[in-house]
Amino acid sequence: MPLPSDIEKSFAASLLDKDGRVPSDLTSYSSPVPQSRFNIYRNNVHVALIDMMAAKFPIVLKLVGEEFFRGAARVYIRANPPTSAMTINYGKGFPGFLENFEHVQDVPYLADVARLEWLRMEAYNAADRKSLGGEDLAAIDHDRLIETSFELHPSLRLLQSEYPVYSIWQANIDGVALSSVDLNSGGEDVLIIRPRLEVLVIKLASGHCDFVRALGSGIALGEANERAFESHEGFDLQLAISGLIGCGAFTGFSK
Amino acid sequence: MTNLSSWLDKPIPARAGVGLKPEHFAEILDTEPDIGWFEVHAENYMGDGGPPHHFLSLIRERYPLSIHGVGLSIGGEGALDAEHLKRLKTVVDRYSPGLFSEHLAWSTHGDIFYSDLLPLPYNEATLETVVAHIDQVQDVVGRQMLLENPATYVTFKSSDMAEIDFLREIVARTGCGLLLDVNNVYVAGTNHDYSPQAYLDAFPFEHVGEIHLAGHAEARDDAGARVLIDAHDRALVDDVWALYERVISSGVSVPTLIEWDNDVPSWARLFSEAQKADRILKGAQTEDAVAV
């Protein structure tokens, strides 16, 4: 009798490989080599994982079409099957995979659209935290404002793209033709956050991304402002702060 | 091992419930339907926060809840994923469910999670592994679990025990209960050419704490034999309703779940399936009362 470990090993190996030969310990009353019955398991595994990817990357799917997406996802899952039953985290590597996937090299912005969708998923499942309002921040002593550092919302994510990734994503959400987006209009920076139940996707003005990133790494307001201003002359601190308060980005500050 | 106080604290009535789907969150909260309970897949509530927890907490305040794990790989030969078991305990602790269940199946081998409920041979070696895994789950989670009978498409040459004997032995050695999936009995009976009714006649009903009902798809194997697939994507067939009625009329009165996980229907459609199961349960309870 084969060892239980050998049976499971050959079963597992045949689930995702190309041939999918039925393991020798399997049988059925109707057919001694139950290939089509074993294929039900193979199909279940592929469909479950591909559906999982389709649910996480709906705009990528829309951009490349369902058939192509499912083919690409199949290549991805075979090369990068999930390593945990914590499937909320599965698919994180898909944007990087798309970046190098030879069949989508004529859609250079696709990987960044996938990144945006992935960050939305992260924000969706991130920890809940109450945001501070303008009145909470008004309590900060003015003299000490530049030395103050801030705690940002646990769902806050940033994406910097060489492509107009926000415009491409938003056009697809709105159901507007992609031809309305000038793909050569330059890069866009995006902030993603879920202050309450809804995930917000916000296009950032020049310099704001550097500013938020600096704050997020614990750098005090004064220095974060200087850094943003050095690299982006038009950086407007007032505008950046009010935008961040408006989307619930602040959850605490150093006293 | 069983935490009796929390068990009694949030009992699940011997009524019908349904698998809770995000598509129905808002309508359930708006209309507060007269339904006995809800069940969720633990893995869908393992994130830190966000809408899933928000809505499940609101529903939990209004209804009894059951938590059903789909990723622990209890039937696998490898050690259980301790991190995953810890996450499962976190979900159970957070929602204090009336029932907690998992599957007689495996889904992880080596480092790979296959996201499906895969079958195992039934023999002394696999029995010992399953028993050790269930002991570990009940120790870590700190309460009794129910183990669900599988829907299978193949059998193993290395099996030398009947599934029911395997289940009985697991219950005897671990003290776990059973989740009887009547559709799985019908599917497996058809797929392996035995009588679902005979299987049910031999089933240890005294250990059943919950019943599952679902729809299945149909195909043919290489030899042209009928093969049923546990798809959870449609309404139950009449044959499964008939098996269920016989189980209930034989005196088993336990919480019964309608599972509909794919091609999820409208709330009204799903609720009507639950009401049908409720009528069967109530009918048997009324007969019992008359008999007394």
Side-chain angles (χ1 to χ4, degrees):
Chain A
M1 191 192 289
L3 291 169
S5 56
D6 292 338
I7 295 167
E8 193 180 291
K9 192 174 168 187
S10 60
F11 198 118
S14 288
L15 283 170
L16 282 176
D17 75 0
K18 278 219 163 96
D19 298 340
R21 198 81 54 79
V22 57
S24 62
D25 194 50
L26 300 194
T27 185
S28 74
Y29 84 93
S30 54
S31 145
V33 182
Q35 184 66 54
S36 59
R37 289 167 175 257
F38 181 66
N39 289 347
I40 297 171
Y41 293 108
R42 274 174 58 83
N43 187 57
N44 283 351
V45 170
H46 282 94
V47 169
L49 296 176
I50 293 171
D51 284 353
M52 212 183 278
M53 302 289 287
K56 291 179 185 192
F57 299 98
I59 303 298
V60 171
L61 185 150
K62 211 166 155 184
L63 286 168
V64 300
E66 170 126 22
E67 197 182 335
F68 184 89
F69 181 90
R70 297 188 78 86
R74 180 177 291 260
V75 176
Y76 176 75
I77 63 174
R78 283 189 174 154
N80 311 273
T83 54
S84 159
M86 178 67 176
T87 49
I88 283 173
N89 294 334
Y90 183 61
K92 191 173 187 168
F94 192 55
F97 164 85
L98 287 177
E99 199 157 73
N100 299 310
F101 193 46
E102 54 176 333
H103 306 290
V104 292
Q105 294 309 306
D106 56 335
V107 197
Y109 51 81
L110 195 64
D112 279 352
V113 174
R115 286 191 178 96
L116 194 159
E117 296 203 279
W118 181 260
L119 295 176
R120 282 190 84 247
M121 288 302 306
E122 285 193 355
Y124 183 84
N125 288 306
D128 302 309
R129 196 75 49 83
K130 193 178 179 306
S131 301
L132 299 181
E135 63 287 356
D136 301 306
L137 296 165
I140 302 174
D141 186 344
H142 265 252
D143 300 338
R144 298 197 49 207
L145 198 54
I146 59 166
E147 297 158 31
T148 305
S149 57
F150 293 87
E151 194 178 286
L152 302 183
H153 197 279
S155 70
L156 189 149
R157 301 289 186 275
L158 294 167
L159 176 64
Q160 286 187 287
S161 176
E162 292 172 30
Y163 304 97
V165 64
Y166 173 84
S167 302
I168 295 166
W169 180 82
Q170 190 63 50
N172 277 279
I173 291 289
D174 296 343
V176 178
L178 196 55
S179 56
S180 68
V181 178
D182 178 2
L183 297 173
N184 299 311
S185 58
E188 288 177 348
D189 297 344
V190 186
L191 183 148
I192 295 138
I193 187 168
R194 183 183 52 76
R196 282 171 295 276
L197 289 178
E198 199 188 337
V199 179
L200 309 177
V201 178
I202 300 162
K203 184 178 153 185
L204 293 177
S206 172
H208 289 216
C209 195
D210 289 346
F211 177 65
V212 179
R213 185 164 287 139
L215 289 183
S217 65
I219 290 169
L221 184 69
E223 195 188 332
N225 176 42
E226 277 170 30
R227 286 192 187 191
F229 194 75
E230 265 168 33
S231 49
H232 306 271
E233 257 181 54
F235 177 71
D236 182 337
L237 179 64
Q238 206 66 38
L239 192 68
I241 298 271
S242 65
L244 289 170
I245 293 173
C247 72
F250 297 118
T251 55
F253 54 83
S254 63
K255 297 216 168 89
Chain B
M1 200 179 296
T2 306
N3 184 343
L4 202 59
S5 64
S6 76
W7 181 274
L8 294 173
D9 197 23
K10 314 278 182 191
I12 293 188
R15 289 192 56 189
V18 301
L20 181 61
K21 296 286 140 193
E23 293 90 325
H24 301 142
F25 283 157
E27 194 168 353
I28 291 163
L29 289 168
D30 279 351
T31 61
E32 298 204 5
D34 176 24
I35 189 163
W37 55 290
F38 289 98
E39 183 164 281
V40 294
H41 290 175
E43 280 71 10
N44 292 336
Y45 297 87
M46 288 183 175
D48 291 331
H53 287 298
H54 171 81
F55 286 106
L56 184 56
S57 299
L58 291 175
I59 285 168
R60 181 70 189 91
E61 287 167 15
R62 292 160 176 77
Y63 295 96
L65 181 74
S66 162
I67 288 183
H68 190 50
V70 297
L72 207 49
S73 205
I74 282 174
E77 50 121 0
L80 296 183
D81 177 345
E83 285 301 309
H84 196 68
L85 185 50
K86 209 188 289 174
R87 286 191 287 266
L88 187 60
K89 178 180 166 52
T90 302
V91 176
V92 169
D93 288 349
R94 184 168 183 168
Y95 290 104
S96 182
L99 292 167
F100 159 56
S101 53
E102 250 284 357
H103 297 85
L104 180 59
W106 61 276
S107 48
T108 296
H109 176 81
D111 291 336
I112 301 179
F113 173 70
Y114 291 94
S115 201
D116 192 26
L117 298 167
L118 301 161
L120 58 146
Y122 301 140
N123 54 48
E124 183 58 35
T126 56
L127 177 64
E128 280 171 23
T129 308
V130 170
V131 164
H133 287 165
I134 292 176
D135 282 344
Q136 188 186 354
V137 173
Q138 295 189 131
D139 277 348
V140 171
V141 180
R143 56 179 296 170
Q144 187 193 38
M145 63 162 277
L146 304 179
L147 185 69
E148 178 175 341
N149 60 295
T152 53
Y153 314 121
V154 296
T155 51
F156 293 85
K157 294 172 194 164
S158 58
S159 280
D160 57 13
M161 288 175 83
E163 185 171 284
I164 287 194
D165 296 332
F166 197 78
L167 289 169
R168 276 184 188 280
E169 201 52 39
I170 290 169
V171 169
R173 295 191 197 181
T174 66
C176 76
L178 295 172
L179 192 173
L180 170 61
D181 188 316
V182 177
N183 180 60
N184 287 358
V185 172
Y186 185 74
V187 164
T190 305
N191 290 347
H192 308 312
D193 198 32
Y194 59 73
S195 153
Q197 186 56 57
Y199 179 100
L200 287 171
D201 288 345
F203 206 84
F205 286 149
E206 65 276 21
H207 297 297
V208 173
E210 180 182 341
I211 288 176
H212 273 183
L213 300 172
H216 56 253
E218 191 163 337
R220 297 269 163 188
D221 72 4
D222 322 68
R226 203 166 151 235
V227 181
L228 303 183
I229 303 171
D230 183 31
H232 294 190
D233 63 347
R234 63 194 77 188
L236 281 71
V237 298
D238 290 344
D239 283 357
V240 172
W241 280 118
L243 288 171
Y244 175 64
E245 285 192 58
R246 287 190 59 176
V247 170
I248 298 304
S249 65
S250 71
V252 181
S253 187
V254 297
T256 300
L257 186 83
I258 305 293
E259 289 183 294
W260 199 325
D261 298 314
N262 301 306
D263 297 335
V264 175
S266 69
W267 169 252
R269 178 84 184 83
L270 184 59
F271 186 35
S272 74
E273 290 281 291
Q275 286 172 311
K276 188 171 174 182
D278 242 352
R279 281 194 296 274
I280 294 168
L281 275 162
K282 274 194 188 127
Q285 286 154 6
T286 313
E287 279 167 32
D288 283 354
V290 171
V292 169

